[in-house]
Amino acid sequence: MSAKSGAKIFKQRCDQCHTVEAGGKHKTGPNLNGLIGSKTGQKAGFSYTDANKSKGITWTPETLDVYLTNPKKYIPGTKMVFAGLKKKKDRDDLIAYLVKSTK
């Protein structure tokens, strides 16, 4: 897993809708600071779908791996338009970046 490679993936695939820094603004998607260990659909100030609010899982590297494979399959009704990352290495690198950058 490479957080450096994950940063490139984040910039290419996620940055247009999400921020990671503490105090970062919500865009089309929520700010991801504090992601690991948080529950779905709970970030203050962001308007989540009922699907995200009621999923009730805690974000971990393992749950992120499943989610990032196919977001609409994992949380039917999510408004996230991202199709997912099919390559396991890309998901692992992105998750390594998210773990590091969202603390």
Side-chain angles (χ1 to χ4, degrees):
M1 292 191 294
S2 166
K4 185 176 181 182
S5 294
K8 290 177 185 172
I9 294 167
F10 186 87
K11 185 168 184 165
Q12 294 168 344
R13 307 291 297 274
C14 315
D15 189 56
Q16 61 272 26
C17 295
H18 295 282
T19 58
V20 294
E21 65 277 354
K25 67 179 182 170
H26 298 308
K27 293 182 175 180
T28 303
N31 169 271
L32 300 176
N33 193 263
L35 176 67
I36 304 301
S38 69
K39 292 235 183 247
T40 53
Q42 304 299 314
K43 193 70 146 178
F46 187 77
S47 177
Y48 290 95
T49 62
D50 287 339
N52 280 81
K53 289 187 240 178
S54 63
K55 182 66 176 179
I57 60 109
T58 299
W59 291 120
T60 65
E62 295 76 22
T63 56
L64 279 170
D65 183 53
V66 177
Y67 180 68
L68 291 171
T69 301
N70 187 337
K72 289 189 182 294
K73 182 177 179 184
Y74 191 61
I75 304 181
T78 184
K79 63 182 174 183
M80 188 158 122
V81 296
F82 180 62
L85 293 171
K86 303 307 174 207
K87 294 180 183 172
K88 175 76 171 141
K89 183 185 181 327
D90 288 349
R91 291 192 311 274
D92 288 345
D93 290 347
L94 178 58
I95 292 166
Y97 170 74
L98 289 171
V99 167
K100 181 179 177 183
S101 66
T102 63
K103 289 183 179 177

